[in-house]
Amino acid sequence: MGAALTVGSTGLAQPLPLVRQGSISGLRLFNVTEYGTVGDGNTLDTAAINRAIDDCHKRGGGVAYVPPGVYLSGTVVLKSNVTLYLEAGATLLGSKRIRDYTLQAGTSLLGDANQKHLIFARDAANVGLAGPGRIDGQGSCFRVPSGRVIPPPEDSWQDVATFDWKPLDRPSPLLEFYNCQNLHIQDVCIENAPGWTLRPVHCDNVFIHGITIRNPVIGPNTDGIDPTCCQNVFISDCLIATGDDAICLKSESPYGGEVRVSKNITISNCVLTGCCNGLKIGTATFGGFENVLFTNSVIFNEDVDLRERIIAGIALEMVDGGSLEGVVISNIRMQRVRTPIFIRRGNRTPRPDGTPGTLRGVMIENIHATGSVLTSSITGLPGFEVEDVTLSNIRIESEEGGKTELVEREIPELPKSYPEARMFGRLPAHGLYCRHVKGLRMSKVGFKASAGEMRPALLCDDVQDIEVDGMKSTSSAGIQPVIKLIQARQALVQGCSAPADTRTFLEVRGDNSKHIVLMNNELSLADKAAQVGPEVPKDAVIISGNTTSQKMSVPTAVNRMSK
């Protein structure tokens, strides 16, 4: 049995600086080489690493120290008051043999997760993983080509590159922490996960700082970080490149028991890339989400094929009967993300009374997105709206170039479908499509389309209590208006500017439309301020205080369309 190197008093798991033996006062270092590791990348070192961890735990805690070398390993189980520290030049190499990963009792098989992990901790306090070393999951050994027919290039916008591969029996998540308190993960580089990379489940006080996750874009289901039913979570300064969601908050109970609320979560200063979603809430969403903050981050793709790009930069999806309230997203730069914003309230898994969960209280501000090819959307269901959403200081530039026929396309409801930004196909607006929404505030939002774009910038269908203030956009190359409202109630459009060559700024349709006000807008470059369908009730639209051209007389600023 190896001996501990004592440097001062016992230290507990905490954010650590670079460790050198004898260099940190207050730590006890348990060097894994003293417990029999070989570190040649060929000899299985699992038992020796676990002996060092167990001895560290039994003797009151400290650091299980991994010096430079390549340590082939199966499942390593962390314990309370122990930090596993990977020194610069150290690699923990996941075994290629699935039998080297011991089953962890109590977990259930949910989706892409199972009972096999490279690093695992359960019911532990003050547990940590740190250091400038690497973890390599050797994920390529756990997947094979799917043999599917790859869609033609014109359908790349709705395809996903990882579908070219199918997973084998694999450890997933590669790193799993269940019911832990004061969990610290810092600085490590985690590469080539066979499935999900890192999942804290039912943990409190989680600190993830400065880590790098690099999974190939072809790796199926290789999520980055998936906090599940965790509270008081801090994720910062991370670089995450994956073949699936970069950061995905979930609410389910893989270990049984009550699904508790995921809350008090902050994510900041991260760089995210991949081919699924950047920041995603859901799925699964059986419980609740409260007080989530995502800020000061970059979500991007290089100039690669559309099938290899992020589907949605921000995806908020409530479809399994849970609730979401209190999400603030700010200061995000997106580049070549297919869809910048996707917000969805569905009913894949209803509540006991058959109704869907709730989605309300979302603020998204200071977003700059370029190179998008799919329309951002906010959609609920008939009678079950997305509520209380604020969008401010947002600029979205689209390269989609949609045609007029998309405007009249019937968009399916799909209440039971898996939520994804591409689920509805191409939408009838190029900037933002809203349906079944109540309480929408848009301030200083700009939409820039590519040449030849023929759809409205904004289309809202079955919306109530909405305000559009200071919107700017490019004009349609066809006959479509800048803003189109269908079955809208209590809508205020103010402070907006009509782009050059605008035929009609606002169009209103629907026999349930009422209390729509168009006021104090700069419309001098528009031929018509507004036009309404013949079914729209008289006096449903009020125009006041707008700046118009000399050719647009105020009495005829509203044109009623013929039947």
Side-chain angles (χ1 to χ4, degrees):
M1 184 65 65
L5 172 65
T6 303
V7 188
S9 60
T10 300
L12 302 182
Q14 56 185 312
L16 297 172
L18 191 68
V19 168
R20 303 293 182 200
Q21 287 200 15
S23 68
I24 303 298
S25 177
L27 292 179
R28 298 175 64 185
L29 305 185
F30 296 74
N31 192 321
V32 297
T33 61
E34 297 295 323
Y35 294 81
T37 59
V38 178
D40 63 358
N42 297 308
T43 305
L44 197 64
D45 286 323
T46 312
I49 296 172
N50 279 312
R51 282 195 296 270
I53 292 170
D54 290 346
D55 194 28
C56 180
H57 169 68
K58 290 175 183 177
R59 296 170 65 176
V63 175
Y65 178 80
V66 183
V70 180
Y71 301 84
L72 183 67
S73 183
T75 300
V76 171
V77 180
L78 286 175
K79 305 290 181 63
S80 291
N81 303 327
V82 176
T83 291
L84 180 66
Y85 190 93
L86 303 177
E87 186 59 272
T91 297
L92 185 66
L93 187 65
S95 173
K96 298 178 182 179
R97 302 181 305 185
I98 194 64
R99 66 176 180 270
D100 291 331
Y101 299 91
T102 56
L103 294 176
Q104 301 305 316
T107 62
S108 60
L109 304 181
L110 288 176
D112 304 313
N114 57 46
Q115 299 166 305
K116 304 165 188 174
H117 317 287
L118 178 59
I119 297 178
F120 180 74
R122 177 171 182 164
D123 302 330
N126 307 316
V127 63
L129 171 65
R134 296 172 58 247
I135 297 172
D136 188 338
Q138 302 204 80
S140 62
C141 302
F142 298 95
R143 60 176 178 265
V144 296
S146 65
R148 71 169 186 137
V149 176
I150 298 176
E154 59 268 24
D155 292 331
S156 288
W157 62 271
Q158 61 182 340
D159 192 29
V160 181
T162 57
F163 292 168
D164 297 350
W165 298 83
K166 66 178 180 180
L168 303 173
D169 189 9
R170 56 184 173 168
S172 180
L174 190 67
L175 282 60
E176 174 98 325
F177 300 87
Y178 172 64
N179 199 37
C180 294
Q181 287 73 46
N182 300 326
L183 169 64
H184 291 263
I185 302 174
Q186 178 179 343
D187 298 335
V188 292
C189 177
I190 310 166
E191 300 179 337
N192 303 314
W196 292 354
T197 306
L198 167 60
R199 180 173 70 163
V201 182
H202 208 288
C203 293
D204 289 317
N205 305 331
V206 178
F207 302 84
I208 302 173
H209 174 77
I211 74 169
T212 298
I213 295 176
R214 292 194 182 99
N215 298 327
V217 73
I218 62 172
N221 317 118
T222 52
D223 288 23
I225 305 174
D226 290 358
T228 302
C229 295
C230 293
Q231 299 184 358
N232 305 326
V233 178
F234 306 85
I235 301 173
S236 65
D237 303 284
C238 297
L239 170 62
I240 303 175
T242 72
D244 209 300
D245 303 322
I247 298 176
C248 182
L249 309 183
K250 298 178 180 292
S251 182
E252 58 187 343
S253 184
Y255 290 79
E258 182 180 356
V259 181
R260 72 171 186 166
V261 174
S262 297
K263 69 177 182 179
N264 304 338
I265 299 171
T266 70
I267 303 165
S268 62
N269 305 327
C270 292
V271 175
L272 313 177
T273 188
C275 73
C276 199
N277 298 287
L279 172 71
K280 176 179 174 180
I281 295 181
T283 60
T285 54
F286 297 103
F289 299 87
E290 297 177 4
N291 309 335
V292 178
L293 173 67
F294 176 49
T295 187
N296 296 349
S297 295
V298 173
I299 306 173
F300 83 104
N301 286 107
E302 300 292 355
D303 190 8
V304 295
D305 190 89
L306 297 182
R307 64 198 296 269
E308 297 181 18
R309 297 188 187 184
I310 287 174
I311 298 174
I314 298 165
L316 309 181
E317 308 167 354
M318 295 303 301
V319 298
D320 297 317
S323 63
L324 179 151
E325 184 166 6
V327 173
V328 178
I329 298 170
S330 64
N331 303 336
I332 309 297
R333 163 64 173 159
M334 301 186 198
Q335 183 183 40
R336 301 188 190 94
V337 169
R338 287 188 238 185
T339 316
I341 299 170
F342 175 69
I343 301 177
R344 172 64 172 168
R345 182 185 181 188
N347 202 21
R348 182 180 68 166
T349 307
R351 292 176 171 179
D353 61 1
T355 62
T358 60
L359 197 166
R360 63 167 64 95
V362 175
M363 297 184 67
I364 302 176
E365 62 182 3
N366 300 336
I367 308 294
H368 184 206
T370 58
S372 67
V373 296
L374 289 174
T375 306
S376 294
S377 63
I378 305 173
T379 60
L381 295 172
F384 301 99
E385 298 91 350
V386 174
E387 300 180 64
D388 186 20
V389 175
T390 299
L391 308 176
S392 63
N393 198 25
I394 294 174
R395 180 177 176 84
I396 296 175
E397 297 184 14
S398 170
E399 299 177 354
E400 189 173 6
K403 304 302 180 183
T404 301
E405 54 266 26
L406 293 176
V407 180
E408 302 303 326
R409 176 176 169 263
E410 183 177 351
I411 308 301
E413 295 287 352
L414 303 177
K416 297 289 186 181
S417 294
Y418 184 87
E420 200 75 273
R422 58 198 173 94
M423 66 186 295
F424 300 116
R426 295 200 179 276
L427 292 167
H430 69 77
L432 179 65
Y433 173 75
C434 301
R435 184 169 65 177
H436 313 311
V437 179
K438 181 179 181 180
L440 172 65
R441 302 287 178 269
M442 295 175 58
S443 175
K444 294 181 174 57
V445 175
F447 302 115
K448 182 179 179 181
S450 58
E453 176 60 65
M454 296 184 176
R455 296 169 296 171
L458 171 65
L459 192 151
C460 298
D461 184 0
D462 184 26
V463 295
Q464 179 179 350
D465 184 21
I466 69 168
E467 180 178 333
V468 181
D469 187 355
M471 191 188 95
K472 293 186 177 181
S473 75
T474 49
S475 61
S476 170
I479 62 173
Q480 294 299 321
V482 174
I483 300 175
K484 187 169 185 176
L485 302 180
I486 303 171
Q487 305 292 23
R489 289 89 66 201
Q490 296 171 261
L492 172 62
V493 180
Q494 65 178 353
C496 302
S497 299
D501 303 318
T502 296
R503 295 191 179 187
T504 303
F505 182 73
L506 172 67
E507 181 181 322
V508 180
R509 301 298 302 265
D511 58 4
N512 198 32
S513 294
K514 58 184 177 181
H515 302 142
I516 297 170
V517 178
L518 182 67
M519 64 181 295
N520 299 333
N521 298 281
E522 167 46 58
L523 305 181
S524 59
L525 297 179
D527 293 342
K528 288 183 289 187
Q531 63 181 10
V532 301
E535 76 285 1
V536 176
K538 185 179 179 181
D539 299 328
V541 179
I542 300 172
I543 293 184
S544 175
N546 300 285
T547 302
T548 60
S549 63
Q550 292 182 353
K551 63 182 179 180
M552 186 197 304
S553 61
V554 175
T556 61
V558 177
N559 292 66
R560 185 167 292 273
M561 304 167 68
S562 60
K563 294 184 179 180

